[in-house]
Amino acid sequence: MKKLKLTQQIILLITSILLLCGCLFTILVIIQSKQFATTEMYSRLESILTLTPDDNDFLTYSSNIKPCMIDGKIICEDGNFYVSEYKIKPINQEYLADNDCERICKLMSNEYAKIKGTSYDRPMNVVEKGQLDGSKGLLFYAYEIHKDGMFRMILTDQSFIISMLKNMTYKIFGVFLLIMLVASLVICLWSNGVVKRIKKIQTHIDNLPNENYEIKYDDGGEDEISDLGHSVMDMRHQILDNDKIKREMLQNISHDLKTPIAVIKSYAESIIDGVSEPMDAQIILNQADILRNKVNKLLQYNRLEYLSKDKDFDDVNMKNVINEVVETYKHQSPLKFDLDLEDVIFKGYRENYYTVVDNIVDNAKRYAKTTIKIILKNNELVIYNDGDHIDEQFLNAEFKPYEKGSKGQFGLGMSIVVKTLDFFNMKLRVKNENVGVSFIITKK
């Protein structure tokens, strides 16, 4: 199937389904038709038997069937019933042999004995019917026995049933063939339309890079192929957005790194020229730390691209992670750290959760006035600082890389936080309190 074109696959698949359904339908119809033909033949035999008392009427009425008529009389001697005499009317007798006549006479004797030998109250002239294995094939018969022992029987072979089945089969085959032709034509036209629409999307995708992703695509439909076209458009918008973010990010990275590099260079040159004091080397060290921190952030953000869910997440004790981060910052800042921690387990990787807490605390440290409070309870982590409120437009921000904040600050820290938490099926919410701001981490 993979080597066939889509149109050929659709035609082959639907044609196969139609053939299978047609075969099953034909078999069922033939079975039902055989039952109908048998019932119809019995009805005709009974009509011939009851409505045609002479040979001329019999010949006229039964022109569409090959019957044979037997007239006879049943007598009783010594308590035994048997046919004393019978007569076969010579009408298409090619399927009736002498031994068949003997079996039929015996059958009539037995049937009459059943009637006369019991007190079963039933009319003695009821028409009965059945099947008989004749010498030249299966025979179908109907008979009538009267109270005086006279009987009349009419029988025929399967030619009527076979003829009716042939006619039904030819008609069904003709109708099915017509349906197949019409269905194939409709399927061919429909599949060609589907393939053209798919090829149109393919051509658009192939040309996107050459058109700088600026050309829009609109299929105009409302089906799954149109949904595919909408997905292509979504992809185009994402590529354009990512390209814009990439350009802005490169510009901001260049600007962000240029400042500490320029400071380091100017102070180093001043020391070499003897203009600055050797103590100014501390400024160079401070700027080097700033530069190292920015490079670490870039490496952290880059490593997120290689995170994989191939292995199971670890059980990370967040209380230990928070204590470790806070111990680092206690010696770097005069701020007060207020901790209210319980043993809470988050699913993920410890190193990444350490980076998340570190970046949020580092961000809080820049804005806090006196206190950073961390609460870990009920599978929720809250990191609060008593700094100024965040503008409402930034509360639900996506924290894109180097996106400027409410005070013009930009960086990678919060982008790393959001991307890491999303990978671990966690979410970050920012909330302005009466005083200060809280960063709240919960499960999705």
Side-chain angles (χ1 to χ4, degrees):
M1 291 288 286
K2 291 183 179 180
K3 295 183 179 180
L4 298 176
K5 293 183 177 180
L6 181 59
T7 303
Q8 296 172 332
Q9 292 183 34
I10 294 174
I11 293 176
L12 179 60
L13 177 62
I14 299 183
T15 302
S16 301
I17 294 174
L18 287 176
L19 283 173
L20 178 61
C21 294
C23 292
L24 294 175
F25 177 75
T26 302
I27 292 172
L28 291 175
V29 169
I30 289 176
I31 293 174
Q32 294 296 322
S33 298
K34 185 176 181 181
Q35 296 175 356
F36 172 78
T38 303
T39 303
E40 176 66 17
M41 187 183 64
Y42 278 133
S43 176
R44 296 191 181 200
L45 289 177
E46 293 177 14
S47 299
I48 295 170
L49 183 64
T50 56
L51 299 177
T52 56
D54 56 66
D55 293 343
N56 291 330
D57 290 340
F58 177 73
L59 285 170
T60 302
Y61 189 84
S62 59
S63 59
N64 60 347
I65 200 170
K66 296 198 302 182
C68 179
M69 181 74 79
I70 301 176
D71 286 337
K73 183 177 182 181
I74 303 171
I75 63 172
C76 179
E77 288 185 359
D78 300 328
N80 295 319
F81 296 92
Y82 63 94
V83 177
S84 63
E85 59 183 24
Y86 66 89
K87 176 177 65 174
I88 302 177
K89 296 184 179 180
I91 303 170
N92 290 331
Q93 296 182 36
E94 69 235 23
Y95 51 83
L96 190 62
D98 292 338
N99 59 337
D100 293 327
C101 294
E102 295 175 1
R103 293 170 60 200
I104 290 168
C105 289
K106 186 176 181 181
L107 173 66
M108 291 296 98
S109 300
N110 292 335
E111 291 298 311
Y112 190 68
K114 292 177 183 177
I115 297 172
K116 300 295 283 187
T118 66
S119 60
Y120 181 62
D121 185 16
R122 71 171 192 172
M124 302 259 316
N125 60 345
V126 173
V127 176
E128 303 289 349
K129 57 196 174 189
Q131 298 178 6
L132 183 69
D133 291 327
S135 301
K136 299 181 180 180
L138 184 64
L139 301 176
F140 298 87
Y141 65 84
Y143 66 86
E144 183 181 38
I145 304 177
H146 298 273
K147 292 182 179 181
D148 58 2
M150 299 299 293
F151 73 88
R152 169 177 281 192
M153 170 180 256
I154 184 169
L155 66 160
T156 185
D157 62 2
Q158 302 182 75
S159 58
F160 177 78
I161 295 177
I162 293 173
S163 175
M164 182 173 283
L165 289 179
K166 283 184 178 179
N167 291 334
M168 292 290 293
T169 302
Y170 291 151
K171 290 178 181 178
I172 292 172
F173 180 77
V175 172
F176 180 69
L177 183 62
L178 179 62
I179 292 174
M180 283 288 295
L181 291 174
V182 174
S184 298
L185 178 61
V186 173
I187 292 168
C188 186
L189 294 175
W190 172 77
S191 60
N192 282 334
V194 171
V195 171
K196 285 182 180 179
R197 293 172 67 191
I198 294 176
K199 285 185 176 179
K200 185 178 177 181
I201 294 176
Q202 180 186 6
T203 302
H204 178 75
I205 294 174
D206 292 338
N207 291 332
L208 277 176
N210 299 328
E211 297 164 349
N212 294 323
Y213 303 96
E214 296 294 338
I215 304 299
K216 297 181 179 181
Y217 176 85
D218 185 11
D219 183 78
E222 296 182 357
D223 54 9
E224 286 78 2
I225 297 179
S226 299
D227 293 339
L228 177 61
H230 295 155
S231 297
V232 172
M233 286 298 93
D234 292 340
M235 178 192 71
R236 184 181 72 87
H237 291 309
Q238 289 179 7
I239 291 174
L240 290 174
D241 291 342
N242 289 337
D243 187 59
K244 179 181 178 181
I245 292 173
K246 181 180 177 181
R247 290 196 303 267
E248 292 177 353
M249 184 175 173
L250 289 174
Q251 292 174 357
N252 290 328
I253 289 174
S254 300
H255 178 75
D256 202 28
L257 298 181
K258 182 171 64 175
T259 301
I261 292 174
V263 173
I264 291 173
K265 182 179 179 182
S266 62
Y267 272 89
E269 289 175 348
S270 299
I271 293 174
I272 292 173
D273 294 337
V275 176
S276 297
E277 298 293 330
M279 293 298 297
D280 291 338
Q282 184 62 45
I283 298 176
I284 296 177
L285 292 176
N286 293 338
Q287 292 299 318
D289 289 336
I290 295 173
L291 186 61
R292 181 183 62 184
N293 186 49
K294 295 181 182 296
V295 172
N296 286 337
K297 288 282 197 305
L298 282 172
L299 293 175
Q300 290 173 1
Y301 187 81
N302 185 63
R303 279 199 296 268
L304 291 176
E305 300 295 330
Y306 302 96
L307 281 178
S308 174
K309 294 185 179 180
D310 293 340
K311 62 177 183 177
D312 295 335
F313 290 155
D314 299 329
D315 292 334
V316 180
N317 190 318
M318 293 302 296
K319 179 179 180 180
N320 296 336
V321 173
I322 294 169
N323 284 325
E324 187 175 337
V325 172
V326 170
E327 284 297 321
T328 302
Y329 280 96
K330 278 183 177 180
H331 304 289
Q332 299 179 7
S333 172
L335 294 172
K336 175 186 176 183
F337 284 88
D338 186 3
L339 305 182
D340 183 6
L341 308 178
E342 294 181 356
D343 288 316
V344 175
I345 302 297
F346 281 1
K347 289 288 187 179
Y349 305 135
R350 190 182 191 281
E351 177 184 359
N352 296 102
Y353 275 124
Y354 181 94
T355 302
V356 166
V357 177
D358 180 70
N359 283 328
I360 297 178
V361 172
D362 182 65
N363 180 80
K365 182 172 66 72
R366 290 201 299 269
Y367 298 103
K369 296 177 180 178
T370 60
T371 304
I372 294 177
K373 185 176 181 179
I374 303 177
I375 302 172
L376 179 63
K377 290 181 179 180
N378 302 322
N379 292 320
E380 181 180 83
L381 172 59
V382 179
I383 300 178
Y384 163 84
N385 71 82
D386 60 352
D388 295 333
H389 284 174
I390 296 177
D391 292 345
E392 291 294 330
Q393 60 178 332
F394 295 102
L395 284 179
N396 298 318
E398 297 180 3
F399 295 108
K400 296 178 182 179
Y402 282 97
E403 183 179 40
K404 287 188 178 182
S406 58
K407 296 184 178 181
Q409 300 289 335
F410 56 81
L412 283 174
M414 297 309 298
S415 299
I416 294 172
V417 169
V418 172
K419 195 168 185 179
T420 302
L421 292 176
D422 183 67
F423 182 80
F424 294 141
N425 295 319
M426 308 289 285
K427 65 179 179 180
L428 174 68
R429 183 164 56 92
V430 183
K431 178 182 179 182
N432 281 328
E433 305 291 354
N434 291 332
V435 176
V437 181
S438 291
F439 290 82
I440 305 168
I441 297 175
T442 57
K443 293 181 180 180
K444 286 186 177 180

